[in-house]
């Protein structure tokens, strides 16, 4: 093994503080005293043994470092560091230099607080007695600090060789603190030199190492002369190459959730995706602009990194980038409004790539007639980024802002991909984006826009081009480009796009009102649009059929016909608007015929003249023109026939008035306009008779009875949309549906079925998307606060889960909803609601019964594990060897596995995590309204907490004991709150009960192995003592005057005059009470 002699020398030097026997003998002595007394240290000054110890430690450490740096291969260094005994000696040298060399010479507040440092290997049975940080200039040994810094900088500059990696893990943060002291302290003598050295050290250190170092150095006690530099250095780390990714990795590694899917791609069998809290913290940090740089420069620096993550293959990288861009940047008005820096960097490039406008293009070799504007790679990347921002990030407002301006380009691309049979899912992706837009938007405006531009195939100056089976690019139209009109192909295109439009209607969850609006828009365009312009004008307007073209009317007619066939029942349910439209058009026809002299000599296009547009090569037979006004009358009569002859039509007073007016119009048309074709005139007379039949009918419930207006029609519409959206497969749409449902809950809508709504939201707790089930938890809390009895009962039933139908994580989510509910109920937590919560939580937290399904699953897992172990032993011919190199790491993994196994419980017992959750809910319920919980439930809860502290003593039950102690603290807070309000509870901690609680707590304080439990117990004991004194004082003030006649507290004490019965003094006095 390399460096054996150097390590042996270091081991001999550290023997007084590392050897177990020497440690026992040295108990009560400091590190410096133990080491200075050894024969390996020659003190340079008898009055300063610390300097000799630190010099010796530095020398030994550098000797080892130099040997490792000069070793021929890196394998020697790796083998050295994997040797646990060698690594312990090296760690001890680094800790000794930091604890006894650096920290005694730092100003107060500089460095990492001792409780937040990496645990030292030197703290085994003796006291370090580290000198307190100096308070003013002149304190400490600056020369020693300078020497330590100069020596350790050599190790830091080795860039991972030798002991460089160990140094980064244990001592880099201390060296930064020391350099900060020398560079920025007011008493520093050569600050400029050390400022440059500190800058160089931070610039060369990896970001993932610097993040924990700089964050640990920034705390409440950090001096004001050092804090600005550390804050600036920390906020500048994302600006480094790959800094954004490393920032997310650091925050994810610091998350309380230990098990998560690593952003670099490594997974474990129990891995989870990045938690929402990690995404929020990352977004908050990366969208905060450092004070030393402008917002424009900052976002210009991190934008390429965020876009690179957005283009990555890993789902977590894309999810993180989408959340940061959508929530932290585009979601904030200051950065994400149109024209702001965030919009310019992230939204405008997408829009330019999908709809290039007047961008100048380059000649594409494959199609020289068209100039390439956006390459297929750039175009596909833009669509992929847009999809990530819209689908992954659930922000309906941002979705509408991004997709609204791109509705037509996405429609054109979707139809082009379908018609060109292009692979790689262009059609599916665009269809998904457009469907999301319509689902999160209200009204029919977007669909009306698509109808008006159904044949849209690009902008005025650009269009789509296919270059291969999978490539679509955007190209500029030639200036002299004039497409050859092929009427047959155009009609096929119209038929195809009408079908796509119908499919889009079916998948977008459009409600009945919007269906009617869309139909009326198409019908109006069909009936009104064909007489506006001459048939001789151009058919195309550069990016679709031009307004006024007969083909435009054909588009509206096709859409109207398709919708009548598909949505006839919906349209018939609201016939008044259709009748009003036909009445309006027929009145226009009468007006036009009465002023026919103004139209004389005009060539009016009609649907019958479509054939004359066909090129001579395709059709040479002339078609006679028919008066277009007669076409309008025929179309109106056809539409009226469909509506009025429907068997399910319901005639209302509003429709009666319309039919009365329509009868007059139809009578005038049939009697005075002989120019109508015979078939049209006959149809008009038949409609007139049908109208007359409706007007003369007076019997039956179908007649002219009307229902009172529904006051909740808008709520019903919102509820219907919410249910439709909640069943969607796309997370943003489900989020919008839950938001709609929450608005109804907030408004206490009368249409809500509370049990059904509660079951619906409970089902959302199983959603895989964290932002969905977290929003569901909030909605459940809101529902329970407004309908406490029903909602709380259902929540508790699902939480207790007698039928064992829910997974552990789902039950824990219900527990979070119960916590939200307790917070919202407040003093309304009384009666049956309080009893339901109390009994349910006590039953879960203290249940010792068996869960049959859980027991069966545990036995099945154990059998599989045993079979796997036997198979491995048979293969090895005995015990399976352990290939782990790090014994300490293996032991730590084994301990963690035992804790996790203990959490699951044995023989079908309740999981420790759900029991802990139940105690938390119970504690919050007591703290929220202890009077409403009552004495019986409160007493049972405290007895349960005491029993847990006495009996659940294993390391795997530590979290349960923590919750039990906090339950007692909740009772103390509740009693204190009631005392402040002057509320008489009639029960509390007193007498033998209080004595038993204190005895158990003091025992746990002295015996428990969990530091967190001990800390909580110390706080509870202190709070109990304080509460008892406050209770005595408040009781004495309210007690009768003769209750304590001889009590010395209410008489006179020696040296202290107390006369509570005396009159108030003439002026207030301020007295100091100890």
């Amino acid at each position: 093994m390399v460096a054996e002699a150097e390590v042996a020398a270091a081991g001999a030097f550290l023997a007084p503080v590392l050897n177990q026997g020497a440690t026992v003998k040295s108990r009560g002595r400091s590190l410096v005293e133990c080491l200075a007394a050894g024969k390996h240290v020659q003190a340079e000054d008898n009055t300063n043994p610390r300097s000799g110890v630190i010099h010796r430690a530095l020398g030994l450490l550098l000797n080892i470092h130099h040997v490792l740096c000069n070793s021929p291969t890196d394998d020697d260094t790796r083998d050295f560091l994997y040797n646990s005994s060698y690594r312990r000696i090296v760690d001890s040298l680094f800790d000794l230099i930091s604890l006894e060399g650096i920290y005694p010479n730092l100003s107060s507040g500089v460095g990492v607080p001792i409780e937040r440092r990496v645990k030292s290997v030197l703290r085994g049975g003796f006291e370090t007695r580290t000198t307190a940080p100096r308070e003013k200039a002149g304190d400490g040994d600056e020369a020693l600090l300078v020497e330590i810094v100069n020596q350790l900088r050599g190790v830091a500059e080795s860039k991972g060789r030798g002991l460089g990696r160990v140094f980064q893990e244990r001592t880099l943060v201390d060296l930064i603190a020391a350099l900060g002291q020398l560079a920025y302290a007011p008493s520093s003598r050569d600050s400029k030199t050390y400022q440059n050295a500190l800058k160089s050290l931070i610039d060369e250190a990896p970001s993932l190492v610097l993040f924990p170092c700089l964050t640990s150095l920034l705390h409440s006690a950090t001096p004001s002369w050092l804090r600005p530099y550390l804050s600036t250095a920390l906020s500048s780390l994302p600006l480094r190459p790959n800094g954004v990714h490393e920032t997310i990795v650091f925050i994810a590694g610091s998350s309380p959730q230990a098990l998560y899917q690593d952003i670099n791609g490594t997974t474990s069998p129990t891995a989870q995706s990045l938690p929402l809290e990690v995404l929020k913290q990352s977004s908050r940090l990366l969208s905060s602009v450092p004070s030393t740089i402008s917002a424009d420069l900052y976002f210009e620096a991190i934008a390429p990194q965020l876009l690179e993550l957005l283009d990555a293959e890993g789902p977590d990288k894309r999810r993180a980038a989408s959340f940061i861009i959508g929530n932290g940047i585009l979601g904030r008005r200051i950065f994400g409004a149109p024209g702001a820096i965030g919009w310019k960097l992230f939204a405008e490039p997408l829009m330019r790539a999908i709809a290039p406008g007047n961008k100048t293009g380059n000649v594409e070799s494959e199609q020289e007639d068209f100039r390439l504007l956006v390459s297929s790679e750039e175009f596909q990347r833009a669509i992929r980024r847009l999809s990530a921002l819209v689908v992954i990030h659930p922000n309906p407002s941002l979705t509408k802002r991004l997709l609204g301006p791109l509705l037509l380009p996405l429609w054109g691309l979707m139809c082009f991909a379908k018609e060109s049979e292009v692979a790689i899912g262009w059609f599916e992706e665009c269809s998904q984006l457009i469907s999301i837009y319509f689902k999160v938007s209200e009204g029919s405006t977007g669909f009306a826009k698509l109808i008006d531009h159904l044949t849209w195939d690009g902008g005025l100056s650009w269009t789509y081009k296919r270059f291969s089976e999978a490539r679509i690019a955007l190209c500029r139209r030639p200036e002299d480009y004039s497409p050859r009109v092929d009427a047959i192909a155009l009609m096929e295109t119209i038929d195809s796009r009408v079908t796509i439009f119908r499919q889009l209607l079916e998948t977008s969850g459009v409600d009945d009102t919007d269906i009617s609006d869309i139909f009326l828009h198409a019908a109006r365009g069909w009936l009104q649009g064909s007489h506006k312009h001459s048939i001789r004008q151009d058919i195309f307007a550069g990016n679709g059929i031009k307004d006024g073209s007969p083909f435009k009317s054909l588009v509206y007619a096709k859409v109207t016909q398709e919708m009548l066939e598909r949505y006839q029942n919906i349209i018939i349910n609201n016939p008044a608007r259709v009748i009003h439209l036909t009445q309006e058009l027929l009145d226009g026809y009468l007006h036009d015929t009465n002023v026919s002299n103004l139209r004389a000599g005009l060539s009016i296009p009609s649907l019958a003249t479509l054939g004359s547009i066909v090129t001579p090569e395709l059709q040479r037979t002339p078609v006679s023109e028919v008066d277009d006004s007669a076409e309008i009358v025929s179309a109106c009569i056809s539409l009226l026939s469909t509506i009025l002859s429907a068997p399910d039509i319901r005639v209302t007073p509003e429709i009666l008035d319309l039919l009365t007016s329509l009868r007059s119009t139809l009578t005038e048309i049939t009697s005075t306009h002989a120019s109508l074709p015979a078939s049209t005139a006959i149809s008009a007379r038949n409609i007139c008779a049908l109208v007359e039949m409706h007007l003369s009918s007076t019997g039956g419930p179908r007649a002219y009875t009307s229902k009172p207006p529904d006051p909740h029609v808008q709520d019903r519409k919102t509820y219907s949309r919410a249910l439709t959206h909640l069943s969607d497969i796309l997370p943003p749409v489900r989020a919008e549906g839950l938001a709609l449902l929450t608005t109804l809950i907030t408004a206490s809508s009368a249409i809500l079925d509370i049990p059904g709504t509660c079951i619906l939201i409970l089902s959302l707790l199983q959603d895989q998307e964290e932002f969905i089930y977290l929003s569901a938890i909030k909605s459940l809390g809101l529902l329970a606060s407004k309908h406490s009895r029903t909602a709380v009962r259902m929540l508790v039933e699902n939480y207790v889960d007698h039928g064992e139908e829910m997974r552990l994580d789902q039950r824990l989510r219900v527990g979070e909803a119960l916590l939200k509910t307790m917070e919202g109920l407040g003093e309304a937590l009384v009666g049956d609601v309080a009893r339901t919560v109390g009994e349910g939580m006590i039953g879960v937290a203290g249940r010792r019964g068996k869960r049959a399904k859980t027991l069966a699953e545990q036995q099945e897992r154990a059998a599989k594990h045993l079979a796997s172990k036997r198979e491995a032993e048979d293969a090895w011919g005995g015990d399976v060897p352990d290939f782990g190199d790090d014994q300490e790491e293996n032991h730590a993994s084994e301990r963690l596995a035992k804790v996790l196994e203990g959490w699951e419980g044995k023989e079908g017992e309740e999981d420790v995590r759900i029991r802990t959750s139940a105690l938390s809910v119970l504690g919050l319920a007591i703290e929220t309204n202890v009077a409403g919980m009552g004495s019986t439930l409160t007493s049972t809860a405290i007895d349960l907490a005491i029993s847990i502290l006495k009996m659940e003593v294993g390391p795997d039950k530590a979290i349960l004991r923590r919750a039990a102690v906090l339950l007692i603290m909740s009772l103390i807070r509740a009693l204190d709150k009631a005392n402040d309000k002057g509320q008489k509870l009639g029960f509390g901690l007193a007498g033998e009960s209080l004595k038993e609680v204190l005895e158990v707590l003091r025992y746990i304080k002295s015996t428990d192995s969990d530091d967190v439990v001990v800390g909580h117990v110390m706080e509870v004991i202190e709070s109990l003592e304080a509460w008892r004194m406050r209770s005595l004082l408040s009781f004495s003030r309210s007690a009768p005057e003769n209750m304590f006649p001889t009590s010395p507290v209410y008489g006179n004490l020696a040296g202290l005059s107390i006369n509570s019965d005396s009159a108030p003094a003439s002026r207030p006095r301020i007295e100091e009470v100890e």
Side-chain angles (χ1 to χ4, degrees):
M1 181 71 70
V2 68
E4 289 185 3
E6 289 75 10
V7 172
F13 166 69
L14 294 171
V17 295
L18 288 184
N19 293 342
Q20 184 174 1
T23 300
V24 174
K25 295 179 181 179
S26 303
R27 191 177 299 275
R29 301 172 64 190
S30 70
L31 285 174
V32 172
E33 292 172 349
C34 293
L35 294 173
K39 59 182 179 179
H40 298 278
V41 177
Q42 298 295 329
E44 299 176 356
D45 187 349
N46 293 333
T47 61
N48 189 10
R50 183 184 305 276
S51 178
V53 170
I54 298 303
H55 281 120
R56 179 60 176 164
L58 280 171
L60 293 169
L61 185 68
L62 293 176
N63 289 340
I64 298 174
H65 175 67
H66 292 150
V67 171
L68 293 177
C69 288
N70 295 328
S71 62
T73 63
D74 292 338
D75 293 341
D76 294 334
T77 302
R78 187 185 65 244
D79 294 340
F80 177 89
L81 296 179
Y82 281 171
N83 188 302
S84 58
S85 59
Y86 285 10
R87 180 61 184 268
R88 186 185 182 206
I89 290 176
V90 172
D91 290 347
S92 299
L93 290 174
F94 276 119
D95 291 347
L96 175 63
I97 294 170
S98 296
L99 295 174
E100 298 293 346
I102 294 179
Y103 275 82
N105 300 304
L106 299 180
S107 297
S108 179
V110 179
V112 184
I114 196 67
E115 65 274 6
R116 293 171 56 183
R117 275 188 53 81
V118 177
K119 190 171 183 179
S120 173
V121 299
L122 294 172
R123 297 187 173 187
F126 56 86
E127 298 180 6
T128 59
R129 292 191 190 173
T130 303
T131 305
R134 58 184 185 177
E135 299 292 340
K136 59 182 183 297
D139 293 346
D141 189 347
E142 186 168 327
L144 178 60
L145 186 63
V146 169
E147 183 174 355
I148 294 173
V149 166
N150 292 336
Q151 297 288 353
L152 291 181
R153 282 176 60 192
V155 181
E157 293 169 359
S158 61
K159 297 183 179 180
R161 298 191 62 205
L163 298 178
R165 292 185 179 179
V166 183
F167 165 79
Q168 289 179 353
E169 294 175 6
R170 301 196 72 87
T171 313
L172 176 61
V173 62
D174 303 324
L175 182 58
I176 293 175
L179 282 171
Q181 173 74 35
L182 297 173
Y184 293 99
S187 60
S188 179
R189 301 173 185 175
D190 192 6
S191 59
K192 189 65 177 178
T193 300
Y194 293 107
Q195 287 176 11
N196 295 333
L198 180 57
K199 182 179 183 303
S200 176
L201 177 66
I202 290 180
D203 289 343
E204 294 177 1
S207 298
L208 288 177
V209 177
L210 282 176
F211 269 115
C213 292
L214 295 177
T215 52
S216 60
L217 289 173
L218 282 168
H219 46 84
S220 58
T222 303
S224 57
W225 46 264
L226 183 60
R227 179 182 294 274
Y229 177 81
L230 295 177
S231 301
T232 301
L234 180 61
S235 60
S236 300
L237 293 181
L239 300 177
R240 293 182 169 191
N242 207 34
V244 171
H245 175 242
E246 291 172 340
T247 301
I248 300 171
V249 170
F250 165 70
I251 296 176
S254 305
S255 171
Q257 299 187 19
L259 300 177
Y260 71 100
Q261 181 174 354
D262 187 83
I263 197 170
N264 290 310
T266 59
T267 59
S268 65
T270 56
Q272 300 175 355
S273 184
L274 284 175
L276 184 61
E277 188 61 31
V278 170
L279 298 179
K280 289 181 178 180
Q281 292 181 10
S282 301
S283 175
R284 195 179 304 117
L285 177 61
L286 291 172
S287 61
S288 300
V289 182
S291 58
T292 57
I293 189 174
S294 66
D296 290 7
L297 293 177
Y298 175 74
F299 286 116
E300 287 173 359
I302 68 170
Q305 299 186 53
L306 286 171
L307 293 176
E308 182 180 356
L309 292 176
L310 199 62
D311 298 334
E313 294 298 329
D316 271 352
K317 291 183 179 180
R318 298 188 69 202
R319 184 166 180 251
S322 172
F323 192 91
I324 293 167
I325 295 173
N327 184 68
I329 301 175
L330 294 180
R332 298 174 61 185
R333 184 183 299 273
I334 187 174
F335 302 134
I341 183 61
W343 188 262
K344 291 179 180 178
L345 291 174
F346 298 103
E348 289 184 1
L350 284 178
M351 295 181 176
R352 285 196 301 268
I354 298 174
N358 297 322
K359 179 180 177 181
T360 304
N362 299 317
V363 175
E364 173 71 15
S365 60
E366 300 182 27
Q367 295 285 341
E368 295 184 356
D369 293 339
F370 290 85
R371 299 179 66 85
L372 186 67
L373 292 178
V374 181
S375 67
S376 59
E377 293 79 9
E378 182 182 355
F379 189 40
Q380 187 173 4
R381 182 167 57 248
I383 294 294
R384 179 180 170 87
R385 289 176 178 176
L386 179 64
S387 179
L389 290 175
V390 170
V391 176
I392 299 176
H393 175 64
N395 188 332
S397 174
L398 179 62
T399 298
K400 289 183 280 190
R401 289 169 55 203
L402 288 176
L403 295 182
L406 298 175
L407 181 60
L408 285 182
L410 290 173
W411 167 258
L413 174 60
M414 178 177 69
C415 295
F416 180 82
K418 183 75 170 180
E419 295 157 1
S420 304
E421 298 180 353
V422 180
I424 313 189
W426 289 89
F427 175 81
E428 291 75 10
E429 193 148 16
C430 292
S431 176
Q432 182 186 66
L433 291 173
I434 296 176
S435 180
I436 289 175
Y437 173 75
F438 285 130
K439 288 176 180 178
V440 300
S441 304
E442 293 186 7
S444 59
T445 306
F447 286 105
K449 188 176 183 179
L450 292 187
I451 295 174
D452 294 340
H453 303 84
L454 196 74
T455 59
W456 201 88
D457 66 343
L460 293 174
S461 59
W462 60 272
T463 187
Y464 305 99
K465 291 295 292 184
R466 172 184 173 181
F467 290 106
S468 68
E469 293 184 358
R471 295 176 59 201
I472 297 178
L474 303 184
C475 298
R476 178 175 293 282
R477 302 179 192 267
E479 295 181 1
D480 59 346
Y481 175 67
S482 179
R484 186 178 181 181
V485 178
D486 187 344
I488 294 178
L490 183 57
M491 293 179 71
E492 291 178 352
T493 299
I494 292 174
D495 289 339
S496 172
R497 297 205 172 190
V498 168
T499 302
I500 295 174
F501 180 81
R502 175 183 56 79
Q503 294 172 350
L504 191 62
L505 272 177
E506 293 173 351
T507 59
S508 297
V510 186
D511 58 34
D512 294 353
T513 304
D514 290 339
I515 289 289
S516 299
D517 292 339
I518 296 168
F519 172 78
L520 285 174
H521 179 82
R524 186 182 297 276
W526 168 39
L527 298 174
Q528 289 183 335
S530 62
H531 65 279
K532 292 184 178 178
H533 298 284
S534 171
I535 190 66
R536 301 301 177 192
Q537 67 183 356
D538 294 335
I539 294 176
F540 289 93
N543 63 338
I545 299 176
K546 192 170 184 178
D547 291 340
S549 165
F551 284 103
K552 193 77 169 182
S553 296
L554 180 61
V555 167
Y556 288 119
K558 288 282 188 179
V559 174
T560 304
Q561 179 183 3
E562 189 75 20
M563 293 191 68
L564 269 177
E565 293 176 358
R566 177 66 180 82
Y567 301 105
Q568 181 176 355
N569 294 334
I570 297 176
I571 295 170
I572 290 174
N573 287 335
N574 190 14
R577 300 176 67 184
V578 180
I579 297 173
H580 179 77
L581 173 62
T582 56
Q583 170 75 35
E584 182 182 318
L585 294 173
L586 291 175
D587 288 342
Y589 165 76
L590 289 175
H591 178 268
D592 288 345
T593 55
N594 290 333
V595 292
S596 57
N597 58 324
L598 298 178
R599 303 176 47 157
L602 297 179
S603 179
I604 303 174
S606 69
L607 295 177
T609 62
L610 288 173
S612 64
I613 304 172
V614 181
T615 56
E617 291 78 2
L618 297 175
Q619 180 172 335
R620 301 180 182 273
T621 304
V623 180
S624 60
E625 296 185 1
V626 180
D627 182 52
D628 193 68
S629 296
E631 287 287 335
I632 295 176
V633 174
S634 178
C636 288
I637 289 175
S638 175
L639 194 58
L640 285 171
S641 176
T642 303
I643 297 298
L644 296 178
S645 61
D648 297 330
I649 184 172
R650 184 173 58 87
V651 180
T652 63
E654 179 187 5
I655 294 177
L656 281 176
D657 295 338
L658 289 172
L659 291 179
T660 302
S661 176
L662 180 63
R663 179 178 58 180
S664 302
T665 303
L666 289 173
T667 301
E668 182 177 355
I669 289 175
T670 56
S671 61
T672 61
H673 292 78
S675 59
L676 285 175
S679 60
T680 303
I682 293 174
S683 298
R685 292 188 187 96
N686 291 336
I687 292 298
C688 192
L690 190 60
V691 170
E692 190 67 35
M693 181 188 70
H694 282 295
L695 291 176
S696 61
S697 176
T698 57
R702 174 179 170 272
Y704 315 117
T705 59
S706 62
K707 294 181 179 180
D710 187 357
H712 307 297
V713 60
Q714 187 60 39
D715 285 356
R716 297 185 191 281
K717 180 179 177 181
T718 303
Y719 186 67
S720 176
R721 287 187 64 208
L723 294 180
T724 303
H725 290 354
L726 286 174
S727 61
D728 200 275
I729 61 173
L730 299 174
V733 179
R734 296 201 301 275
E736 173 69 7
L738 184 56
L740 291 174
L741 188 60
T742 304
T743 58
L744 295 177
I745 296 173
T746 304
S748 300
S749 176
I751 70 166
L752 289 178
D753 173 35
I754 303 307
T757 303
C758 190
I759 293 174
L760 176 62
I761 302 178
L762 279 170
S763 68
L764 294 177
L765 296 180
Q766 305 179 29
D767 201 292
Q768 297 299 317
E769 294 293 339
E770 191 171 1
F771 57 81
I772 298 291
Y773 72 71
L774 287 178
S775 300
I777 289 172
K778 295 180 181 178
S779 300
L780 279 173
L782 180 63
L783 182 67
S785 65
K786 293 181 175 293
H787 307 278
S788 57
R789 187 185 299 271
T790 302
V792 168
R793 176 180 55 79
M794 297 186 68
L795 285 173
V796 172
E797 287 177 355
N798 280 270
Y799 187 77
V800 175
D801 189 30
H802 288 297
E804 302 184 50
E805 298 175 354
M806 301 183 71
R807 301 192 311 269
L808 173 65
D809 60 332
Q810 296 171 3
R811 296 177 67 193
L812 291 175
R813 293 171 187 177
V814 177
E816 293 183 50
L818 281 170
L819 287 172
K820 291 287 183 183
T821 302
M822 297 304 102
E823 294 174 357
L825 285 177
E827 294 184 358
L829 182 61
V830 294
D832 292 340
V833 176
R835 184 168 54 256
T836 301
V837 173
E839 292 176 353
M841 296 307 104
I842 290 173
V844 173
R847 182 162 59 196
R848 315 300 295 175
K850 307 297 182 182
R851 293 174 64 86
K853 292 182 180 180
T854 303
L855 178 59
E857 292 174 358
Q858 290 176 347
Q859 291 174 345
E860 182 180 358
R861 287 199 304 267
K864 290 181 179 180
H865 177 72
L866 182 60
S868 176
K869 183 179 179 181
R870 287 176 178 174
E871 182 180 353
E873 290 176 347
D874 292 341
W876 282 96
D879 293 338
V880 179
D882 186 5
F883 294 101
D885 294 325
D886 192 338
Q887 296 181 358
E888 294 184 4
E889 183 177 351
N890 291 339
H891 291 326
S893 300
E894 291 176 2
R895 289 194 298 270
L896 178 59
K898 289 181 180 179
V899 169
L900 292 176
E901 183 181 356
W903 282 356
E904 294 179 358
K906 298 179 180 180
E907 298 181 358
E909 293 180 356
E910 188 67 89
D911 195 289
V912 174
R913 286 162 288 189
I914 198 69
R915 296 178 62 195
T916 303
S917 171
L919 285 177
S920 301
V921 175
L922 185 59
L924 183 59
I926 291 174
E927 188 172 348
T928 299
N929 190 5
V930 65
M933 295 295 291
S935 62
T936 303
L937 288 175
T938 304
S939 175
T940 306
I942 297 302
D943 290 343
L944 173 62
I946 295 299
S947 299
I948 288 174
L949 291 175
K950 289 180 178 179
M951 301 173 61
E952 313 279 0
V953 295
D956 53 321
K957 302 298 192 300
I959 59 173
L960 191 62
R961 296 196 300 278
R962 297 173 189 174
V965 176
L966 292 178
L967 174 62
I968 300 174
M969 176 65 85
S970 296
L971 175 61
I972 298 172
R973 293 197 187 104
L975 295 176
D976 198 33
K977 188 189 303 182
N979 191 26
D980 291 341
K981 294 180 179 180
Q983 189 176 8
K984 304 299 183 182
L985 298 176
F987 61 90
L989 286 174
E992 293 297 325
S993 174
L994 177 60
K995 182 179 178 181
E996 181 184 3
V997 170
L998 284 173
E999 287 178 353
V1000 172
L1001 290 176
R1002 291 188 178 112
Y1003 175 77
I1004 295 297
K1005 174 185 174 183
S1006 60
T1007 60
D1008 202 290
S1009 59
D1010 187 78
D1011 294 339
V1012 179
V1013 173
V1014 173
H1016 288 343
V1017 167
M1018 293 173 64
E1019 293 180 5
V1020 170
I1021 292 176
E1022 183 179 351
S1023 299
L1024 265 176
E1025 297 290 349
W1027 169 79
R1028 185 164 60 174
M1029 293 303 299
R1030 290 190 61 184
S1031 299
L1032 288 173
L1033 291 175
S1034 62
F1035 176 75
S1036 66
R1037 295 190 188 100
S1038 59
E1041 294 182 1
N1042 60 350
M1043 194 168 199
F1044 303 106
T1046 61
S1047 175
V1049 176
Y1050 301 96
N1052 292 329
L1053 299 179
L1056 180 63
S1057 176
I1058 298 179
N1059 188 0
S1060 58
D1061 297 329
S1062 61
S1066 59
R1067 60 177 182 176
R1069 292 185 302 172
I1070 300 176
E1071 297 180 357
E1072 181 177 355
V1073 179
E1074 185 174 352

